[in-house]
Amino acid sequence: MNTWQIYSAISSVLLLLLLGLYVTERRRHLGFSAELEGELKQVSSRLDHDELTGLLAPGAFDTLLDQAVQQANHSGGSICVLCIALDNFGLISDGFGRAISDRILREVAGRLNACAGAQSPVCRVAGTEFAFIVNGGLAIGRLASERVKVEMIKPFEWLMTSTGLTCSIGLAIYPENGRRERLLDNAAMAMRNVKLNGGDAFCQFDAKMGVELRQQAALVNDLRSALEKGQFELFFQPKIDALSLQVTAAEALLRWHHPERGLVSPVIFIPLAEKYGLMGSIGNWVIDEACRTAAHWKESGLRMRVAVNISGYQMREDDLVERIEAALRRYELRPERFTCEITESVAMENTTVTRLTFDKMRKAGFHVSIDDFGTGYSSLAALRRLPAAELKIDRAFVVDLLESKDARLIASSIINMAKALNLRVVAEGVETTGQRDLLVKMGCDELQGFLFSLPVTAQ
């Protein structure tokens, strides 16, 4: 073999080696690219979907909303955005923990997907707020809202417990309720309006809602400084012994003297105080002021209980009972002279925190009253477990007592049940002598209402 042939053979071998190296590198590069593309798709999918529920993330929902608006513009039709918020879901989180609340949120997501249908992916906007789009106007939106309410009220089951959920739903119609940029915000504003009015309903966006929310924001801002400015005052409404007509107790009722709005009803500002974290300091003031007033009455020779309404927010505070005990010691009052009035709905929450608070109240010796009784879903077994000394018949049954057979049956049943459990019965909202006489005949122990006195100042 001559020199040229040797060089030619070596060149061929080198060429084959280089070609092999190129093919290997090319395959490795293509594999890396495919792997990178797969990773990017997974990352994109994670960014487009909520990690907990698998629902659309807000960014992906914005893209979907853009497409829906473009289609509506092209066809001349309408679309409806639903913004949904679960009512009082914090109670479940507080009472049962993160694992249970996450599990329920995943089930909520599944139910919402079923309501929206395959053509309308649901978005988890934030926390316990969701949204989805339906093609059509208000009538279609209402039907979708009804479906959501029906699905949410079906029982969720966990830890031997089951309960349905209520929700607040806001509707915004395009193009009727604003431009694309404001559509989800307007639906959310309508949802918040429903929440402020008690939840468990749906409503369409109205431009007036923005004004109302701005007014509410101003009210909350004023509420933050009302305590330090001394704008709160306690009024008291007496409870009267049904037979002797002597005053046995007085219920403390909070009033806010607003410098511009005048006397603001607690129905307006108490929910705001609870929502924006102001109830703790206001509640402390009410407890202290009620005890201070009761101590002054005691010095004047008046031996009667003072009753304070305890909110659901306060019942979930770890140190509520300790703070009440501190106030009682400060003013040298006996625990049985302090009545905690707790609404039936709060009393029946049966969460770990509220059960612990009730146990503390029992040990402290407070006088516990179940307020607004007859409007909730109490059971005899649940009532027996509570450290209650009395039930208050809700005013709704007292108002109709003379005209409604059903109201008389309910009032009579409550009184008989209370007697069987060795509980005293207070009827609130007594306004006529006819109502008084009938309640006395039924065996009611104490009466409260305008027939005897309006809420008045301590003096």
Side-chain angles (χ1 to χ4, degrees), residues 206-323:
D206 189 303
K208 294 178 182 177
M209 291 175 181
V211 177
E212 292 172 356
L213 287 174
R214 284 192 293 274
Q215 290 176 344
Q216 183 189 97
L219 195 63
V220 170
N221 186 58
D222 293 341
L223 186 58
R224 293 185 190 280
S225 60
L227 189 58
E228 63 184 52
K229 291 181 178 178
Q231 294 173 356
F232 289 124
E233 182 181 10
L234 289 186
F235 278 50
F236 295 86
Q237 188 174 38
K239 297 180 183 179
I240 309 296
D241 184 270
L243 298 179
S244 69
L245 298 184
Q246 297 298 306
V247 176
T248 58
E251 179 182 356
L253 301 166
L254 183 60
R255 298 291 184 263
W256 179 17
H257 294 280
H258 192 280
E260 297 173 3
R261 299 169 182 260
L263 209 60
V264 181
S265 168
V267 174
I268 295 174
F269 71 82
I270 290 296
L272 293 178
E274 292 187 338
K275 181 176 181 181
Y276 293 99
L278 304 175
M279 200 61 227
S281 57
I282 294 174
N284 288 342
W285 181 86
V286 170
I287 291 168
D288 189 83
E289 182 66 11
C291 290
R292 188 192 66 80
T293 303
H296 178 70
W297 288 338
K298 186 179 73 170
E299 292 173 0
S300 303
L302 291 173
R303 302 286 177 175
M304 61 183 187
R305 295 187 306 276
V306 63
V308 171
N309 291 287
I310 304 297
S311 69
Y313 175 91
Q314 290 173 293
M315 285 294 291
R316 292 187 288 276
E317 292 181 308
D318 293 337
D319 63 341
L320 170 68
V321 172
E322 288 79 5
R323 285 187 278 109

Side-chain angles (χ1 to χ4, degrees), residues 69 126 134 145 151 169 173 190 200 251 255 260 270 283 328 375 412 456:
V69 167
V134 292
S145 299
E151 281 300 314
I169 306 173
I173 317 299
D200 193 20
E251 179 182 356
R255 298 291 184 263
E260 297 173 3
I270 290 296
L328 293 173
T375 59
S412 178
V456 293

Side-chain angles (χ1 to χ4, degrees), residues 81-88 129 138 141-142 145 148-149 166-172 185-206 208-210 212-213 216 267 271-272 275:
V81 175
L82 281 74
C83 188
I84 303 138
L86 303 179
D87 296 331
N88 303 315
E129 295 183 8
L138 182 60
R142 286 178 176 273
S145 299
V148 170
K149 287 185 63 180
T166 63
C167 54
S168 302
I169 306 173
L171 311 176
D185 289 340
N186 289 345
M189 191 179 296
M191 174 272 291
R192 287 192 291 272
N193 184 72
V194 174
K195 261 189 173 300
L196 289 173
N197 288 284
D200 193 20
F202 58 85
C203 76
Q204 183 184 5
F205 168 78
D206 189 303
K208 294 178 182 177
M209 291 175 181
E212 292 172 356
L213 287 174
Q216 183 189 97
V267 174
L272 293 178
K275 181 176 181 181

